[in-house]
């Protein structure tokens, strides 16, 4: 008799656990397509949905009125390689959709949260922090600070990632419609950022490859004499 009582108790406990899992905020989904670094299309129970990753923002790659921004392709490529065609788990917060009807979620693959991974790699910034969807805001803030200290990804470009978004590079792009021809052996790039600051970048600068030059210099002294300062590291 005691054995049957024990069996019944075990069945009740395991039944309770299953019910709790079914009532959780996690939803199984299959990724159909990666739109960009922070947006994916998924299938849930046969229905297609657009998912916006909560509390993060990656540089633009498909915006209808903005150019492709630095590290946008890297963020999109990372998410595409990680999630395209994969089975994922979506964790919802208090508010499930944004004003565009997109699902708002923390996306997991193999027990790793993609939102966090993008922040860790410097491919996203903490953004769109609106109550009540703030479950992981403190964790995300701590992760972002580490990426900022390491000056990786978006944080390798001075004054690029801000609280308001990513710096508008249209001014620089308009200035650089004509190719700047550098004298042989002159590799230092002089760039004017969106705040009008003159900054020069050597080949050792983390943002050298993505910097578009207004001028090229043969030495740091030459750049300084032209009114430029070294990029902050």
């Amino acid at each position: 008799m005691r054995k049957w009582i024990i069996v019944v108790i075990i069945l009740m406990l395991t039944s309770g656990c299953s019910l709790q899992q079914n009532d959780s905020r996690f939803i199984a989904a299959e990724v159909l397509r990666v739109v960009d670094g922070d947006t994916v299309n998924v299938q849930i129970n046969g229905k297609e949905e657009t998912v916006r990753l909560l509390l993060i923002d990656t540089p633009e790659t498909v915006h209808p009125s903005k150019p492709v921004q630095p590290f946008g392709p890297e963020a999109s490529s990372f998410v595409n390689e990680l999630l395209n065609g994969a089975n994922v788990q979506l964790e919802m917060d208090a508010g499930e959709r944004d004003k565009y009807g997109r699902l708002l979620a923390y996306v997991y693959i193999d027990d790793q949260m993609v939102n966090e991974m993008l922040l860790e790699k410097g491919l996203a910034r903490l953004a769109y922090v609106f109550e009540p969807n703030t479950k992981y805001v403190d964790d995300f803030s701590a992760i972002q600070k580490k990426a900022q200290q390491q000056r990786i990804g978006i944080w390798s470009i001075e004054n690029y990632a801000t609280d308001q978004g990513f710096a508008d590079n249209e001014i620089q792009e308009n200035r650089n419609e004509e190719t700047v021809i550098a004298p042989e052996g002159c590799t230092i790039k002089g760039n004017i950022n969106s705040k009008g600051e003159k900054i020069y970048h050597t080949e050792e600068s983390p943002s050298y490859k993505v910097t578009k030059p207004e001028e090229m210099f043969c030495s740091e002294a030459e750049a300084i004499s032209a009114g430029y300062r070294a990029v902050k590291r």
Side-chain angles (χ1 to χ4, degrees):
M1 184 67 179
R2 289 181 181 178
K3 290 182 179 180
W4 282 110
I5 293 174
I6 292 172
V7 169
V8 170
I9 292 172
I10 291 173
L11 289 172
M12 290 175 64
L13 289 174
T14 55
S15 174
C17 290
S18 298
L19 181 61
Q20 189 174 10
Q21 288 174 357
N22 292 334
D23 287 346
S24 74
R25 292 184 181 274
F26 288 89
I27 300 173
E30 179 188 357
V31 177
L32 301 176
R33 185 171 73 91
V34 173
V35 179
D36 60 14
D38 53 34
T39 309
V40 297
N41 290 340
V42 304
Q43 184 171 269
I44 303 172
N45 295 327
K47 181 182 178 182
E48 185 171 339
E49 294 272 10
T50 298
V51 175
R52 180 65 168 76
L53 275 65
L54 266 168
L55 297 181
I56 66 165
D57 181 35
T58 61
E60 297 291 350
T61 57
V62 294
H63 196 282
S65 61
K66 292 183 179 180
V68 174
Q69 297 175 319
F71 290 100
E74 288 85 345
S76 295
S77 177
F78 172 76
V79 176
N80 189 63
E81 291 179 11
L82 189 67
L83 297 186
N84 195 25
N87 293 317
V88 297
Q89 292 288 324
L90 308 179
E91 180 185 6
M92 318 306 289
D93 211 324
E96 291 189 354
R97 294 184 185 270
D98 64 8
K99 61 182 180 180
Y100 304 108
R102 300 177 298 186
L103 287 175
L104 300 172
Y106 308 104
V107 180
Y108 293 81
I109 183 167
D110 298 330
D111 296 324
Q112 290 186 294
M113 190 200 293
V114 179
N115 312 53
E116 288 186 346
M117 294 168 73
L118 286 162
L119 289 169
E120 287 170 353
K121 292 180 177 295
L123 297 177
R125 68 184 183 94
L126 175 62
Y128 305 116
V129 181
F130 303 119
E131 294 288 353
N133 293 326
T134 56
K135 184 175 183 178
Y136 295 113
V137 66
D138 291 337
D139 295 336
F140 285 12
S141 180
I143 293 169
Q144 176 170 285
K145 284 179 181 177
K146 288 183 180 179
Q148 288 173 317
Q149 291 167 355
Q150 295 169 354
R151 293 192 178 277
I152 57 176
I154 60 176
W155 309 110
S156 67
I157 304 176
E158 188 177 351
N159 299 323
Y160 174 49
T162 72
D163 292 339
Q164 287 72 43
F166 298 98
D168 187 357
N169 291 320
E170 291 179 3
I171 297 174
Q172 291 92 320
E173 288 174 0
N174 290 335
R175 287 189 182 126
N176 287 289
E177 288 179 356
E178 296 182 4
T179 303
V180 177
I181 300 175
E184 187 176 352
C186 299
T187 60
I188 296 175
K189 295 180 178 180
N191 174 265
I192 302 175
N193 68 18
S194 58
K195 294 182 179 180
E197 298 174 310
K198 291 185 172 183
I199 302 168
Y200 71 82
H201 304 252
T202 65
E203 291 180 287
E204 289 74 33
S205 302
S207 52
Y208 183 83
K209 290 183 179 180
V210 296
T211 297
K212 295 183 178 181
E214 271 76 38
E215 299 181 67
M216 296 295 294
F217 301 103
C218 300
S219 68
E220 292 187 60
E222 184 181 343
I224 292 170
S225 66
Y228 289 80
R229 65 166 175 81
V231 64
K232 294 178 182 178
R233 294 172 182 259

